[in-house]
Amino acid sequence: MTSLRIVMFTTFYPPYSFGGDAIGVQRMARALAARGHDVSVVHDEDSYLILGGKPQSEGAPDGVRRIGLRSRHGLMSNLLTQQLGRPVVHAARIREILAERKPDIIWHNNTSLIGGPGLLPMGDGLKIYEAHEHWLVCPTHVLWRYGRELCGERHCLKCQLSYKRPPQLWRHTGMLDQALDHMDLIIAKSEFSRAKHREFGLRQEMEVLPYFLPDLSTLAAPYTGHPRPYFLFVGRLEKIKGLQDVFPAMDRVPEADLLILGDGDYAGELKRLAAGHPRIQFLGRKSPEELNAYYRGALGLVVPSVCYETFGIILIESFRLGTPVIARRLGPFPEIVETSGGGALFETEEDLVAAMRGLQEDPARRASQSQAARDAFGAIWREDRVLAAYGASLARAAHRKGDAGLARALEAGAFEAVA
């Protein structure tokens, strides 16, 4: 099997990262390394530290070469990139890495603070951009206008000021649009996200390739440390995740509790809102093994995000363990839930209460949704299925570029077989 040289660029990457996007990049990097490829991930360290991140454990070796970029003047480095739309402090080091690694594939993820659009034309090789968020069409990444509402039309200057971010004048010059013409493949994580990029003016075509998870050889034993039936919330505690909307519903589902796993900058306000409600419990962060047990023991996972997600990886985390999902009818969630049959959707508090009661009071319904969730995960979102789809998509892109050798390697299963 041909071993390919792959360089991935991203702003956040473990152990200098927040949230699920960076974990998604790491999961892909590890999957490619496990298939025998030479994988380097180049990421920014300053942005994580400036935003208050604490150094985390590096973890065991995973076959991925991690190259962290850090400046003595990190804030200035990030500000120059954010304002000028190109790598300034680290430009020479990036060129050096590309010259050393001679990548067959240059794989861009969130490049907002590692190089902006000015990074995209750099280097030779098949060039990919994977849109884990909506940065290509939104300066704040999340299409959440003024920090309080879904974005339906551009108010970008006022919105950036409301987020206390300096406006990016390069967004009004065509710089990003021209840089994206250097991409051989642009990936959206859901049909919804592809449509939203198009709606907000992205000219280039996108292909939809979802997130994935490796299958589990055995399913975790359900968590038994909680004395009552419970619903589960997993994720960063931010206002846009919508958890505050679930609290009133809990008054109408007295036979079950709500366990909240995660932390974030909205945790204090959420705890204030839940004060005096003993059936709502904040349990903080958990290890992956602990998370799996909590998923398995839950009646269902509640996903109430009020913003436009690009995918929602916690849904397939839940599906992998056979736990049904109750998700807001918003963004990509309808296509995921309706495709799988592994849960229910809600728009109103009435819908949410009905879905929660249905899972608790009708064991046959829950069993059916549980089996559907598990079956759909295996058919659609399992690692080997998704990596095969990536290989086919990249092979088509290599043919369009005229790189017959790379296309042959990809068509021969370079993304399919595990080394």
Side-chain angles (χ1 to χ4, degrees), residues 40 53 72 93 115 133 186 211 222 262 273 275 315 329 332 416:
S40 301
R72 287 182 299 172
R93 177 60 178 138
E133 65 310 281
I186 303 176
Y211 284 105
L273 293 171
L315 278 75
R329 188 180 291 277
E416 297 179 35

Side-chain angles (χ1 to χ4, degrees), residues 44 46 69-71 77 87-95 114:
D44 185 70
D46 293 322
L69 303 182
R70 189 186 299 192
S71 168
S77 174
V88 178
V89 174
H90 298 302
R93 177 60 178 138
I94 288 170
R95 291 191 183 94
I114 194 172

Side-chain angles (χ1 to χ4, degrees), residues 9 44 46 69-96 111-120 122 170 175:
F9 287 98
D44 185 70
D46 293 322
L69 303 182
R70 189 186 299 192
S71 168
R72 287 182 299 172
H73 307 289
L75 178 61
M76 182 57 66
S77 174
N78 281 177
L79 181 61
L80 287 170
T81 298
Q82 193 262 359
Q83 283 290 284
L84 299 178
R86 58 185 176 86
V88 178
V89 174
H90 298 302
R93 177 60 178 138
I94 288 170
R95 291 191 183 94
E96 181 181 85
T111 62
S112 61
L113 292 178
I114 194 172
L119 174 64
L120 304 187
M122 295 172 68
W170 57 260
M175 181 181 181

Side-chain angles (χ1 to χ4, degrees), residues 4 16 49 72 78 85 124 183 187 229 295 301:
L4 302 175
Y16 295 86
L49 298 171
R72 287 182 299 172
N78 281 177
D124 298 314
M183 297 298 100
I187 297 169
Y295 274 123
L301 177 75

